[in-house]
C-alpha cells in the first residue's frame, strides 16, 4: 500500500518541497480529511498537491500549513505577532473594503502597505 509520503515523493521527485513532505507526513499521521479540515481546504486539494497536479499557486496553502502545523509567526504592523495563516487570511480579506467593522478597516489599511501583501493591480490599456 502506498502512503501519502510515497505518493508525494513519486510525483515531485527531487523537487519535493520540505513543506509538501511535511504535509504528506501529517496526512499519514492523521488523515487527509483531518489535515484538510485543519487547513480549511478540501481533501481533494490536498490530494492534488501531493500528486503535483494542483494548477494554482501553492503559496497560500504553504502559508496555511506553516501557520497551523509549524507554528510560523509574522510580525504584523497592526496586530503584532500572529500565526502566518492568520496573516494570510487578513491579506485575503483586505482585498475588499469593508467600513462597517473597525478591525477590518484597520487591517485593510495595514495590509495595503505591508510588504507581505502580494496583491497586484490589473490595469486595462
Amino acid at each position: 500500500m502506498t502512503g501519502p509520503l510515497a505518493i508525494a515523493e513519486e510525483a515531485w521527485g527531487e523537487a519535493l518541497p520540505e513543506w509538501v513532505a511535511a504535509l504528506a507526513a501529517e496526512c499519514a499521521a492523521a488523515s487527509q480529511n483531518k489535515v484538510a479540515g485543519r487547513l480549511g481546504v478540501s481533501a481533494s486539494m490536498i490530494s492534488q498537491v501531493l500528486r503535483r497536479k494542483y494548477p494554482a499557486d501553492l503559496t497560500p496553502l504553504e502559508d496555511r500549513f506553516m501557520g497551523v502545523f509549524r507554528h510560523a509567526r509574522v510580525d504584523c504592523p497592526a496586530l503584532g505577532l500572529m500565526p502566518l495563516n492568520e496573516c494570510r487570511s487578513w491579506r485575503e480579506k483586505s482585498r475588499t473594503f469593508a467600513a462597517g467593522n473597525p478591525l477590518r478597516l484597520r487591517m485593510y489599511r495595514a495590509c495595503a502597505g505591508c510588504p507581505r501583501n502580494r496583491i497586484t493591480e490589473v490595469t486595462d490599456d
Side-chain angles (χ1 to χ4, degrees):
M1 190 165 149
T2 307
L5 187 54
I7 290 169
E9 287 173 342
E10 182 179 329
W12 287 85
E14 293 292 321
L16 179 66
E18 182 278 328
W19 76 270
V20 175
L23 174 67
E26 292 293 340
C27 290
S31 77
Q32 196 167 295
N33 283 333
K34 288 180 182 176
V35 170
R38 287 188 63 192
L39 294 174
V41 299
S42 69
S44 64
M45 180 181 184
I46 300 298
S47 177
Q48 288 178 350
V49 170
L50 295 179
R51 287 171 171 73
R52 200 177 186 180
K53 302 247 185 234
Y54 190 70
D57 181 20
L58 292 176
T59 307
L61 181 62
E62 180 181 6
D63 285 352
R64 287 178 186 222
F65 177 79
M66 297 304 285
V68 172
F69 288 99
R70 295 296 180 255
H71 307 292
R73 304 280 185 253
V74 295
D75 190 14
C76 173
L79 298 178
L81 201 60
M82 70 169 48
L84 183 56
N85 57 306
E86 288 181 24
C87 173
R88 167 65 65 178
S89 177
W90 277 114
R91 284 185 277 154
E92 289 170 0
K93 289 177 190 174
S94 75
R95 291 181 180 158
T96 56
F97 181 76
N101 181 323
L103 182 56
R104 281 281 302 266
L105 179 59
R106 179 178 177 192
M107 293 308 292
Y108 176 82
R109 290 178 178 150
C111 289
C114 181
R116 293 192 62 81
N117 199 350
R118 298 184 193 134
I119 298 173
T120 58
E121 292 184 24
V122 177
T123 58
D124 294 330
D125 292 352

